[in-house]
Amino acid sequence: MFIINCPYCGERDQTEFSCGGEAHIERPKQPTELSDDQWAEYLFMRKNIKGIQFERWNHIHGCRKWFNVIRDTSNDKIHAVYKMGEKPPIKSL
Amino acid sequence: MKNKYSIFSLIKNAFSGHENWQRAWRDPEPKKEYDAIIIGGGGHGLATAYYLAKKHKINNIAVVEKGWIGGGNTGRNTTIIRSNYLWDASAGLYDHALKIWEGLSQELNYNVMFSQRGVMNLAHNLQDVRDLKRRTHANRLNGIDAVWLNTQEVKKFCPIINTSPNIRYPVLGGTLQKRAGTARHDAVAWGYARGADEMGVDIIQNCEVKGIKRNGNEVEGIETTKGFIKTKKIGVVAAGHSSVIANMAGIRLPLESKPLQALVSEPVKPIIDTVVMSNAVHAYVSQSDKGELVIGAGTDSYVSYTQKGSHNIVEETLRAILELYPIFSRMKMLRQWGGIVDICPDASPIISKTQIKGLYFNCGWGTGGFKATPGSGDLFAHTIANDEPHKLNAAFNLNRFVSGDLVDEHGAAAVAH
């Protein structure tokens, strides 16, 4: 449980948000040309990092907008928040 | 040779103030090389080593554990054992484990306090009723004991449940597996450790794995805080940290690691002599032999490796418990904790080879791995020893995420661990 700084609404409790998992997984541009292995990679395989992770969150009980969060999964500390479409402010720590 | 535990050894040791008990397992330094190394000294890992030594005669094995054995999810779960899963593959897997549980204390000469007190799953809406009845039929077709109980029968089996039709989610019935129950989780780890140690397995505690050394597509050994250890076969049984080990080997797994919480109350006199679970309201409760209520809460919705969990998850669970059991309204909770569970997209485990030769994974048990400990160890040992799965774990391979042949057990596993 922690505080998330929604880029649209400001600081709110984490319970107002819904986590959408790992960020920057691009939907395949040519789905019909994907092999089964590539589909599996896109659909199921995750980095599941212990440490700095880039992830998507939705302010589901607030403005309902999606945005990105950089969070350390080993201590739940949030390092940065940035809007969809923006470049991550830090690459990694 | 280990001295046998018995009533006589207990009496004999009582005379010397219990100060002369033989060590249950050694504390060896790692050798330079092993025939197989198991990463993770929890119940599943120790059981794997035990069956590798016992059934497959591979005795030159090490179990390396970052902390102390049984200190991870083995010591953090709510100890529930059952096999009433929906699909044939799962029924085969979990009932295999349940059958081993039934004779485990005798086999290990270690009392794992397996108690077949029954597990009851409640239905709170018409869809629950349909799903649970379907699962009851599926279980019986697979030879697993399961019965459907109506509301009155639920009340008779567990009188403290509030079966009033006026509560928010009234009890419309439930299923009961009588062979299901609980066991003492620490004893499972210790019993397997003692058994494996007797057959020559080195249990190396406080030894963290830092890297997997590969030579092309084959494993060569592991880098640890106690130095490099050579081996040709590595079985990874690292639960919530499976992805961390996978990343060291350069592969990815379909897992997300999340904190799962549990809590216990102050100890009270016997009040609930079975295990009751409810998926719809997310509450399940049993009573330990010490008298504490053992309550399982849910997972946080985001990846985290902090063994804590959020407070709102506990609140939701306790709210549901209070509506179902008004008698607990003044109980005080004694402790709360979290464990990191590795969840697969289909809520079924992975007991599998990987694309790297000599690297095997046993993971993805998510919120309900304890019940499978003996079966999981047995089948994983078979997979490692023969470099191919046993027919009972063939469906639980990594390739199912490529072929699409998933074993969707969300209904049987999602909440009811």
Side-chain angles (χ1 to χ4, degrees), chain B residues 207-227:
Chain B
C207 177
E208 187 176 353
V209 173
K210 291 290 188 189
I212 307 269
K213 195 166 174 216
R214 279 169 61 174
N215 179 11
N217 204 37
E218 275 178 58
V219 296
E220 277 197 323
I222 56 172
E223 297 287 354
T224 74
T225 46
K226 294 191 176 181

Side-chain angles (χ1 to χ4, degrees), chain B residues 121-266:
Chain B
N121 287 83
L122 300 180
H124 297 274
N125 53 52
L126 289 177
Q127 189 59 44
D128 271 2
V129 172
R130 283 190 286 262
D131 288 347
L132 287 178
K133 278 188 175 169
R134 178 191 177 203
R135 185 134 63 88
T136 308
H137 296 314
N139 289 159
R140 292 166 78 146
L141 285 171
N142 277 317
I144 294 169
D145 65 310
V147 285
W148 170 260
L149 307 179
N150 64 29
T151 309
Q152 288 73 38
E153 289 164 332
V154 166
K155 183 79 177 170
K156 200 171 162 217
F157 188 68
C158 184
I160 59 169
I161 294 181
N162 180 8
T163 52
S164 159
N166 298 325
I167 62 175
R168 177 69 183 84
Y169 295 104
V171 176
L172 302 184
T175 65
L176 174 63
Q177 185 181 18
K178 284 196 175 158
R179 285 164 64 228
T182 59
R184 169 111 166 88
H185 49 196
D186 299 324
V188 177
W190 298 337
Y192 273 122
R194 178 169 168 265
D197 181 85
E198 185 172 11
M199 292 181 286
V201 174
D202 283 355
I203 296 165
I204 302 159
Q205 303 184 83
N206 298 308
C207 177
E208 187 176 353
V209 173
K210 291 290 188 189
I212 307 269
K213 195 166 174 216
R214 279 169 61 174
N215 179 11
N217 204 37
E218 275 178 58
V219 296
E220 277 197 323
I222 56 172
E223 297 287 354
T224 74
T225 46
K226 294 191 176 181
F228 178 73
I229 313 174
K230 202 173 159 193
T231 188
K232 286 200 162 62
K233 289 192 173 193
I234 301 172
V236 185
V237 205
H241 282 68
S242 297
S243 297
V244 176
I245 306 283
N247 289 339
M248 290 175 190
I251 62 171
R252 292 218 282 173
L253 296 171
L255 297 175
E256 286 197 311
S257 296
K258 295 173 176 180
L260 174 68
Q261 290 179 82
L263 54 162
V264 295
S265 72
E266 58 191 339

Side-chain angles (χ1 to χ4, degrees), chain A residues 1 41 48 50 71 73 76, chain B residues 241 243 252 257 303-305:
Chain A
M1 208 161 164
E41 191 69 21
N48 196 23
K50 183 179 188 178
R71 184 172 58 95
T73 60
D76 286 345
Chain B
H241 282 68
S243 297
R252 292 218 282 173
S257 296
V303 170
S304 178
Y305 287 82

